[in-house]
Coordinates of all heavy atoms in Angstrom, one line a residue:
S1 N 147.7 67.9 104.1 CA 149.0 68.3 104.7 C 150.1 67.5 104.1 O 151.3 67.7 104.5 CB 148.9 68.1 106.2 OG 148.7 66.7 106.5
G2 N 149.9 66.5 103.2 CA 150.9 65.6 102.8 C 151.4 66.0 101.4 O 151.3 67.1 100.9
D3 N 152.0 65.0 100.7 CA 152.6 65.2 99.4 C 151.7 65.0 98.2 O 152.0 65.3 97.1 CB 153.8 64.2 99.3 CG 154.8 64.4 100.4 OD1 155.1 65.6 100.8 OD2 155.4 63.4 100.8
V4 N 150.5 64.4 98.5 CA 149.6 64.0 97.4 C 148.3 64.8 97.6 O 147.7 64.9 98.7 CB 149.3 62.5 97.5 CG1 148.4 62.2 96.3 CG2 150.5 61.7 97.4
D5 N 147.8 65.5 96.6 CA 146.6 66.3 96.7 C 145.3 65.4 96.5 O 144.9 65.1 95.4 CB 146.6 67.4 95.7 CG 145.5 68.4 95.9 OD1 144.7 68.2 96.8 OD2 145.4 69.4 95.2
L6 N 144.8 65.0 97.7 CA 143.6 64.2 97.6 C 142.4 64.9 98.4 O 141.3 64.3 98.5 CB 143.9 62.8 98.3 CG 144.9 61.9 97.6 CD1 145.2 60.8 98.6 CD2 144.3 61.4 96.3
A7 N 142.6 66.1 98.8 CA 141.6 66.7 99.7 C 140.3 66.9 99.0 O 139.2 66.6 99.5 CB 142.1 68.0 100.2
A8 N 140.3 67.4 97.7 CA 139.1 67.7 97.0 C 138.3 66.4 96.7 O 137.1 66.3 96.7 CB 139.4 68.4 95.7
E9 N 139.1 65.3 96.4 CA 138.5 64.0 96.1 C 137.8 63.5 97.4 O 136.7 63.0 97.3 CB 139.5 63.0 95.6 CG 139.1 61.6 95.5 CD 138.1 61.3 94.3 OE1 137.7 62.3 93.7 OE2 137.9 60.1 94.1
A10 N 138.4 63.7 98.5 CA 137.8 63.2 99.8 C 136.5 64.0 100.1 O 135.5 63.4 100.5 CB 138.8 63.3 100.9
I11 N 136.5 65.3 99.8 CA 135.3 66.1 100.1 C 134.2 65.6 99.1 O 133.0 65.5 99.5 CB 135.6 67.6 99.9 CG1 136.5 68.1 101.0 CG2 134.4 68.4 99.8 CD1 137.0 69.5 100.9
R12 N 134.6 65.4 97.9 CA 133.6 65.0 96.9 C 132.9 63.7 97.3 O 131.6 63.6 97.3 CB 134.2 64.7 95.5 CG 133.3 64.3 94.4 CD 134.1 64.2 93.1 NE 134.8 62.9 93.1 CZ 134.3 61.7 92.7 NH1 133.1 61.6 92.3 NH2 135.1 60.7 92.7
L13 N 133.7 62.7 97.8 CA 133.1 61.4 98.2 C 132.3 61.6 99.5 O 131.3 60.9 99.7 CB 134.2 60.4 98.4 CG 134.9 60.0 97.1 CD1 136.1 59.1 97.4 CD2 134.0 59.3 96.1
T14 N 132.7 62.4 100.4 CA 132.0 62.6 101.6 C 130.7 63.3 101.4 O 129.7 63.1 102.0 CB 132.8 63.4 102.7 OG1 134.1 62.8 102.8 CG2 132.2 63.5 104.0
R15 N 130.7 64.2 100.4 CA 129.4 64.9 100.0 C 128.4 63.8 99.5 O 127.2 63.8 99.8 CB 129.6 65.9 98.9 CG 130.2 67.2 99.3 CD 130.0 68.2 98.1 NE 130.8 69.4 98.3 CZ 130.4 70.4 99.1 NH1 129.3 70.3 99.8 NH2 131.1 71.5 99.2
Q16 N 128.9 62.9 98.7 CA 128.1 61.8 98.2 C 127.5 61.0 99.3 O 126.3 60.6 99.4 CB 128.8 60.9 97.2 CG 129.2 61.5 95.9 CD 129.9 60.6 95.0 OE1 130.0 59.4 95.3 NE2 130.3 61.0 93.8
L17 N 128.4 60.6 100.3 CA 127.9 59.8 101.4 C 126.9 60.6 102.3 O 125.9 60.0 102.7 CB 129.1 59.5 102.3 CG 128.9 58.4 103.4 CD1 128.3 57.2 102.9 CD2 130.2 58.1 104.1
A18 N 127.1 61.9 102.5 CA 126.2 62.7 103.2 C 124.8 62.8 102.5 O 123.8 62.9 103.2 CB 126.7 64.1 103.4
A19 N 124.8 62.7 101.2 CA 123.6 62.8 100.5 C 122.8 61.5 100.6 O 121.6 61.5 100.4 CB 123.8 63.1 99.0
R20 N 123.5 60.4 100.9 CA 122.9 59.1 101.0 C 122.3 58.8 102.4 O 121.5 57.9 102.6 CB 123.9 58.0 100.6 CG 124.3 58.0 99.2 CD 125.3 56.8 99.0 NE 125.8 56.7 97.7 CZ 126.6 55.7 97.3 NH1 126.9 54.7 98.1 NH2 127.1 55.8 96.0
T21 N 122.9 59.4 103.4 CA 122.6 59.1 104.8 C 122.5 60.3 105.7 O 123.1 61.3 105.4 CB 123.6 58.1 105.4 OG1 123.3 57.8 106.7 CG2 125.0 58.7 105.3
K22 N 121.7 60.2 106.7 CA 121.6 61.3 107.7 C 122.5 61.1 108.9 O 122.3 61.7 110.0 CB 120.1 61.4 108.2 CG 119.1 61.8 107.0 CD 119.5 63.1 106.4 CE 118.5 63.6 105.3 NZ 118.9 64.8 104.7
H23 N 123.4 60.2 108.8 CA 124.3 59.8 109.9 C 125.0 61.1 110.3 O 125.7 61.8 109.5 CB 125.3 58.8 109.4 CG 126.1 58.1 110.5 ND1 127.0 58.8 111.3 CD2 126.2 56.8 110.9 CE1 127.5 58.0 112.2 NE2 127.1 56.8 111.9
E24 N 124.9 61.4 111.6 CA 125.5 62.7 112.1 C 127.0 62.8 112.0 O 127.5 63.9 111.8 CB 125.0 63.0 113.6 CG 125.4 61.9 114.6 CD 124.4 60.7 114.5 OE1 123.3 60.8 113.9 OE2 124.8 59.6 115.1
E25 N 127.7 61.7 112.1 CA 129.1 61.7 112.0 C 129.6 61.9 110.5 O 130.7 62.4 110.3 CB 129.8 60.5 112.5 CG 130.0 60.5 114.0 CD 131.1 61.5 114.4 OE1 130.7 62.7 114.5 OE2 132.2 61.2 114.6
V26 N 128.8 61.5 109.6 CA 129.1 61.8 108.2 C 129.0 63.3 108.0 O 129.9 64.0 107.4 CB 128.1 61.1 107.2 CG1 128.3 61.6 105.8 CG2 128.2 59.6 107.3
A27 N 128.0 63.9 108.5 CA 127.8 65.4 108.5 C 129.0 66.1 109.2 O 129.5 67.1 108.8 CB 126.5 65.8 109.1
G28 N 129.4 65.5 110.4 CA 130.5 66.1 111.1 C 131.8 66.0 110.4 O 132.5 67.0 110.4
L29 N 132.0 64.9 109.7 CA 133.3 64.8 108.9 C 133.2 65.8 107.7 O 134.2 66.5 107.4 CB 133.4 63.4 108.3 CG 134.7 63.2 107.5 CD1 136.0 63.6 108.2 CD2 134.8 61.7 107.0
L30 N 132.1 65.9 107.0 CA 132.0 66.9 105.9 C 132.2 68.3 106.4 O 133.0 69.1 105.8 CB 130.6 66.8 105.3 CG 130.3 67.7 104.1 CD1 131.4 67.6 103.0 CD2 128.9 67.5 103.6
A31 N 131.6 68.7 107.6 CA 131.9 70.0 108.1 C 133.3 70.2 108.4 O 133.9 71.3 108.1 CB 131.0 70.2 109.4
L32 N 134.0 69.2 109.0 CA 135.4 69.3 109.4 C 136.2 69.6 108.1 O 137.1 70.4 108.1 CB 135.8 68.1 110.1 CG 137.3 67.9 110.4 CD1 137.7 69.0 111.4 CD2 137.6 66.6 111.0
M33 N 136.0 68.8 107.1 CA 136.7 68.9 105.8 C 136.5 70.3 105.2 O 137.5 71.0 104.8 CB 136.3 67.9 104.8 CG 136.7 66.5 105.1 SD 136.1 65.3 103.9 CE 136.8 63.8 104.4
L34 N 135.3 70.8 105.2 CA 135.0 72.1 104.6 C 135.7 73.2 105.4 O 136.3 74.2 104.8 CB 133.5 72.4 104.5 CG 132.7 71.4 103.6 CD1 131.2 71.6 103.8 CD2 133.1 71.7 102.1
L35 N 135.7 73.1 106.7 CA 136.3 74.2 107.5 C 137.8 74.2 107.4 O 138.4 75.3 107.3 CB 135.8 74.0 109.0 CG 134.4 74.3 109.2 CD1 133.9 73.7 110.6 CD2 134.1 75.8 109.2
H36 N 138.4 73.0 107.3 CA 139.8 73.0 107.1 C 140.2 73.4 105.7 O 141.2 74.2 105.5 CB 140.4 71.6 107.4 CG 140.6 71.3 108.8 ND1 141.4 72.1 109.6 CD2 140.2 70.3 109.6 CE1 141.5 71.6 110.8 NE2 140.8 70.5 110.8
H37 N 139.5 73.0 104.7 CA 139.8 73.3 103.3 C 139.6 74.8 103.1 O 140.3 75.4 102.2 CB 138.9 72.5 102.4 CG 139.5 72.3 101.0 ND1 140.6 71.5 100.8 CD2 139.1 72.8 99.8 CE1 140.9 71.5 99.5 NE2 140.0 72.2 98.9
A38 N 138.7 75.5 103.8 CA 138.5 76.9 103.6 C 139.8 77.7 104.0 O 140.0 78.8 103.4 CB 137.4 77.4 104.5

């Protein structure tokens, strides 16, 4: 929503974090990003 396009980079890093851990809030954040980005 701001002036700098960082959304795709944030999704990329969250995907990496989700691949490393089964932490449910990591998955929750990834889902939130994907649904908003859609």
Side-chain angles (χ1 to χ4, degrees):
S1 61
D3 301 322
V4 184
D5 189 355
L6 295 169
E9 171 74 349
I11 291 175
R12 182 180 75 89
L13 293 173
T14 307
R15 283 193 191 281
Q16 289 184 8
L17 189 55
R20 294 184 184 185
T21 176
K22 296 301 182 183
H23 195 297
E24 56 279 345
E25 275 293 81
V26 176
L29 179 58
L30 178 58
L32 176 63
M33 289 179 174
L34 294 172
L35 290 163
H36 276 309
H37 206 66

